[in-house]
Amino acid sequence: MTLIKTKVGRRSFIKTSAATGGGILIGFNWLVSCTPATEEEPTVAIPNEWFDINGYIKIGDTGMVTIYSPNPEIGQNVMTSMPMIVAEELDVPWKNVVVEQGSLDEDAFKNPQFAGGSLSIKLSWDALRMAGAAGKRMLMEAAAKEWGVAVTDLTASEGVISEINGERTIEYGQIASKAVGIEVPEELELKEPKDYKLIGTRQKNVEGPKIVTGKPLFGLDYKREGMLLAMIEHPPAFGLKVVDFNTEEIKAMTGVKDAFIIDTTIPEPGGLGINAFPQLVAIVGESTWQLMKAKKALKVNYESVSEAENSEMHAAKMEADFEKGQAATSRLDGDPDAAFASATKVIERTYTAPFMAHNTLEPMNFFANVTADKAELVGPTQTPKLLEESVAKLLDMPAENITVDMTRQGGGFGRRLYTHFGLEAAAISKKMGAPIKMIYTREDDMSQGTYRPTYRSVYKAGLDENNNLIAFSVKGIGIPEGPVFPNRFPAGSVDNYVAESRGIETNISTGAWRAPRSHFTAGAEQSFLDEVAELAGKDPIDLRLELFERAMKNPVGEEHEYEAERYAGVLKLVKEKSNWGTETPGVFRGVAAYFCHNSYVAQVMDMVLVDGKPKVKKVYCAVDCGILINREGAENIIQGGVVDGIGHAMYSELKFEDGTPTHKNFTTYQLVRFNQAPAEIEVHFVENEIAPTGLGEPGLPPAVGALANALYKATGTRYYHSPFSTADQGSNLIG
Amino acid sequence: MAIFNLTINGEKREVDVDPDTPILWVLRDELDLVGTKFGCGVAMCGACTIHLDGAATRSCQVPVSAIEGKKITTIEGLSEKGDHPVQKAWLEHDVAQCGYCQAGQIMSASALLDSNPNPSDEEIEVAMTGNICRCGTYVRIKDAIKTASKL
Ligand code: FES
Ligand code: FES
């Protein structure tokens, strides 16, 4: 039996019924239960009355249950998986459940509402289970009272409460009205994983039917009576600031209501408040197209406020400063210098990666309605709470007067962790005294990014005469942060080990890009280990398993940030599922494994040559994320991570000339396309009962390493510098 | 500004817009048909795909002045109840991640299957390579097209 405390912080779980209220209305609200109705199994009728059970749950008199999904939905599918956890403990048939996006209300949800670090499931695991279990307990208490029996005489399952030794039964919908406000005990019993009926099954995306019929779901689709549209123009280069523009000319254009300069500077913005261009030109009107034409007619004067950077300068700086100054983070085990000096074989390789843009397919946008004493924001954000706090600073308004609602989001990848676009919408609405929706063009989005930093790392390994790895060094630098995780693998598995990370300042705005740093370190480290294995004459999986064995039995150093057993577990699983070791003519294989964001993923990538050009045909993935919540969504996000990893390692880069990003749209910025994606991606999960961890990021990093290793087998060339398809490394790679 | 008479999803609609306005923005701003998405505005992502007289067309590239008399179908009009074989197959394969690209993907796929009910892998590639999915759902898109071709 798993017991869980129902008191979190200062308020008990139950005392905040009705706090979240309805979801967001985008144009209209329509109810679709989680499983589409079939002739044999009609879904539950739309209720006449709803009863608020707690912040997550509302039950209708017909037995229909609304579960509010607390966290931002950016495509990671938490809007399905989080409510599944609530429904499991509430013990209600999934087909009776309707899911709605919850508003920002961390008090009601007893949990931080953000999408970042693949943390949604990991952090909310207790709160979601508790919400469901508390709801079930309240319904049972109400039934017990009604029948004059003890709660212990009752059992509840699939939305029905029954007497253990009696005939009586009652459905949740029939007793819900009496359950409102009932106190629950301080401790509640949770289900054992072996008793799960819903968790671990395959459930379809709850918004699937709306997505395939084009219903208004996204921020860009949001509309309000009397709403105006707004667009911004930012300086063309980092290091420039807006001075003035041809205001009168722009204002005179057809469809332009107003044009002005906004300033979104706030005190203590914090890391996620990064904003390279706090001063922007804003143009407001009623038609997007007319605004786009007005943007083209802008003549803006800029002043230079800091140095204009370029890509050559970035590369040169990273090389020059590589070992200069104090490392930001470091680790030292044993005596690497001596070990390298005594090694029989030494190998050293340098890896680099460029800046990259996030390029969520839905460009940045936000709705704001700022009045004298209130502000209402609606749109795509991964950090609604931070946005609320930031808008409070910008408007000098108490946070209680500000609401933030989340729409479905056309991709996140870290881009919507940042607050500047929400602030811009708020500033424009305030100036206009009207509700506005601000939207970026693709060019605005790509040239005003919070880019993935550029990196350079040097890996070095030493083998003794028996081909044992006796020394390992990883040193990295990045703009603005270095890419090295000193306590990650292979730390703990090598006697003599050194890791150092350094950063160089820049005026280019950078930020978290899906699996920050990990996507680069996984690619570099895992392809380096492939070369080390080759040098040692060992199978690449065996070499890794040997190292994990060492880290399990006799770890080196104080600590390391991974569980060697689980790491080895995914490698063994992928080895088995891919029949590693068997040779298929014309198929070239690469392997990689990586641990980040609390989950373990190993991949084997099969490459073939099509017209002489390499193409990934099939990928095998083995994943350990603890308890699996929704098998369907989990497979999908891992597959997406693989495609994203291949795509960005092969094709994507953002360069700078005179402070200006040289790519501004998909005409030159290449994203992976249908014909370049693998034909098949198989995903296998390690079965265990460990508390669940996230999957939004961990599927991506190993794909970079597996790709580089498969490419080597297919072409005989090692790829050290992403994107691998650039001309200097062989443009023949574009398959 | 000028008046244009359009046939969208079988209905006659009248709009008063600048003649050079791409049909994408007529749909989204004037007609509340926001299922058709904006991704790039330069014919490179396919998010804005509609059917123009049955052919998959990037609506960000076609000015409203060029389409009078032509039949426009958007994702909202693909089927009455969301039960077009491609929509059904998309649900069966649970294709969407963020979902933003999927209306465009479905419009490209349904135009392909209308003209070629049993496309080969190569023909599917040619038809779908203009539609970006930033979330990387390509494997499921391919499987769903194959399923739809059998429905
Ligand atoms: S918006 Fe039309 S192709 Fe991208
Ligand atoms: S599902 Fe997100 S862009 Fe395709």
Side-chain angles (χ1 to χ4, degrees), chain A residues 43-64:
Chain A
T43 46
V44 114
I46 307 248
N48 299 312
E49 225 182 323
W50 286 102
F51 306 101
D52 291 298
I53 302 299
N54 60 38
Y56 286 86
I57 303 166
K58 166 170 108 167
I59 300 182
D61 52 8
T62 58
M64 187 181 270

Side-chain angles (χ1 to χ4, degrees), chain B residues 35-110:
Chain B
T36 306
K37 298 295 189 240
F38 167 63
C40 70
V42 295
M44 290 305 291
C45 78
C48 64
T49 306
I50 58 165
H51 296 171
L52 197 58
D53 281 343
T57 304
R58 311 291 182 231
S59 66
C60 67
Q61 296 302 300
V62 184
V64 64
S65 57
I67 58 160
E68 266 191 306
K70 295 196 175 165
K71 227 178 86 200
I72 295 166
T73 307
T74 69
I75 186 75
E76 291 92 342
L78 188 61
S79 64
E80 236 168 74
K81 295 188 176 139
D83 55 359
H84 184 283
V86 174
Q87 289 169 317
K88 278 163 81 174
W90 242 249
L91 292 177
E92 186 183 324
H93 289 274
D94 205 33
V95 174
Q97 281 183 35
C98 81
Y100 193 77
C101 73
Q102 301 296 348
Q105 306 277 5
I106 289 170
M107 295 310 278
S108 288
S110 55

